[in-house]
């Protein structure tokens, strides 16, 4: 099977990255993770990339400003698809336009609700009945592109930020991979 050369962008723990690596190692999963980009040199997720010998490109503050360097790097790895798996920095419009291929993001709410940061706190405050995660294409607006799929669960009276995060992330792992299969079919 021809797999899409993929780069995963992370900023933190990398639990989504972990699942993506495990799935991409399966024969019939449609992506190959060629590169990990991270804007935080202390991110736990970098250990996962190291464990599976995936090259990493770490952006320091200065390099973070340089879209050109990143584009050159992506080109050198022949990247066809970017996955944002907990990347907590906004990509510039210029970068998105210049890359010109698909970029897919996972967001911990049922978009278009609760775009941006601190989603779980806001979900609790708004006393939502249900929440979940969304996988969507990235466009030039924040958390706004075409939705590929959403998964949800009903909130419990006892839920707090920690439990909502855990339940949301448990949905995310399958959602991300299912969305990738859906768009590459
Ligand atoms: C995920 O829950 C993802 O939805 C969220 O960051 C977490 C990363 O966890 N992304 C955003 O909030 C983007 N706006 P991970 O590093 O363990 O995969």
């Amino acid at each position: 099977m021809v797999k899409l050369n993929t780069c995963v962008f992370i900023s933190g723990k990398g639990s989504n990255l972990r699942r993506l690596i495990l799935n991409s190692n399966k024969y019939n999963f449609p992506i190959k993770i060629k590169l990990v980009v991270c804007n935080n040199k202390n991110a736990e997720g970098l250990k996962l990339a190291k464990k599976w010998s995936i090259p990493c490109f770490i952006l320091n503050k200065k390099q973070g400003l340089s879209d050109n360097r990143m584009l050159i790097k992506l080109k050198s790895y022949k990247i066809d698809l970017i996955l944002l798996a907990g990347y907590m920095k906004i990509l510039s419009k210029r970068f998105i336009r210049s890359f010109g291929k698909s970029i897919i993001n996972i967001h911990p709410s049922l978009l278009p609700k609760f775009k941006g940061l601190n989603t779980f706190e806001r979900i609790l405050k708004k006393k939502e009945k249900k929440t979940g995660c969304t996988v969507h294409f990235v466009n030039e607006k924040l958390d706004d592109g075409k939705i590929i799929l959403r998964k949800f669960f009903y909130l419990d009276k006892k839920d707090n930020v920690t439990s909502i995060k855990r339940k949301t992330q448990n949905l995310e792992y399958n959602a991300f991979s299912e969305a990738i299969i859906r768009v590459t079919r």
Side-chain angles (χ1 to χ4, degrees):
M1 152 181 248
V2 182
K3 293 185 173 222
L4 277 182
N5 289 339
T6 301
C7 175
V8 184
F9 282 43
I10 62 165
S11 297
K13 194 168 167 219
S15 61
N16 277 283
L17 170 66
R18 185 173 188 282
R19 178 63 72 89
L20 291 168
I21 295 172
L22 291 174
N23 281 343
S24 69
N25 285 339
K26 292 178 185 154
Y27 165 72
N28 53 3
F29 193 72
I31 64 164
K32 177 170 174 49
I33 301 175
K34 301 278 280 186
L35 183 67
V36 168
V37 167
C38 183
N39 65 334
N40 166 14
K41 66 176 181 356
N42 300 316
E44 241 184 273
L46 287 172
K47 291 183 197 150
L48 296 167
K50 205 172 168 199
K51 182 173 168 195
W52 273 282
S53 307
I54 302 167
C56 293
F57 183 47
I58 299 167
L59 303 165
N60 62 35
K61 270 200 182 126
K62 241 191 198 163
Q63 288 165 336
L65 298 174
S66 167
D67 289 342
N68 278 342
R69 278 197 76 217
M70 197 136 86
L71 287 162
I72 290 167
K73 197 85 182 168
L74 294 170
K75 214 167 191 174
S76 73
Y77 281 86
K78 298 187 168 62
I79 298 300
D80 301 312
L81 173 69
I82 292 176
L83 302 175
L84 306 182
Y87 188 62
M88 304 311 275
K89 206 167 164 267
I90 295 171
L91 297 175
S92 75
K93 291 181 178 153
R94 194 180 150 270
F95 174 83
I96 294 168
R97 249 178 271 139
S98 309
F99 178 63
K101 297 174 185 172
S102 294
I103 305 177
I104 295 175
N105 180 44
I106 187 146
H107 184 76
S109 77
L110 296 173
L111 289 175
K113 283 185 167 181
F114 305 103
K115 296 178 179 185
L117 296 175
N118 304 316
T119 45
F120 307 126
E121 287 84 351
R122 289 186 287 136
I123 286 161
L124 267 181
K125 213 169 174 183
K126 276 269 181 182
K127 299 192 189 320
E128 291 293 295
K129 282 201 176 70
K130 59 181 185 176
T131 186
C133 66
T134 305
V135 187
H136 66 97
F137 287 108
V138 170
N139 66 13
E140 292 177 13
K141 292 187 207 147
L142 180 70
D143 299 330
D144 181 77
K146 186 173 179 248
I147 290 173
I148 303 163
L149 63 82
R150 286 184 291 207
K151 285 188 183 285
F152 74 90
F153 62 92
Y154 287 99
L155 286 155
D156 195 86
K157 270 191 192 138
K158 288 184 212 143
D159 271 321
N160 53 37
V161 169
T162 312
S163 67
I164 299 177
K165 182 176 177 184
R166 178 176 35 79
K167 290 178 189 180
T168 304
Q169 291 198 327
N170 280 339
L171 289 181
E172 285 185 347
Y173 306 137
N174 282 336
F176 217 166
S177 291
E178 257 181 69
I180 291 163
I181 291 169
R182 206 175 275 189
V183 299
T184 52
R185 207 180 276 149

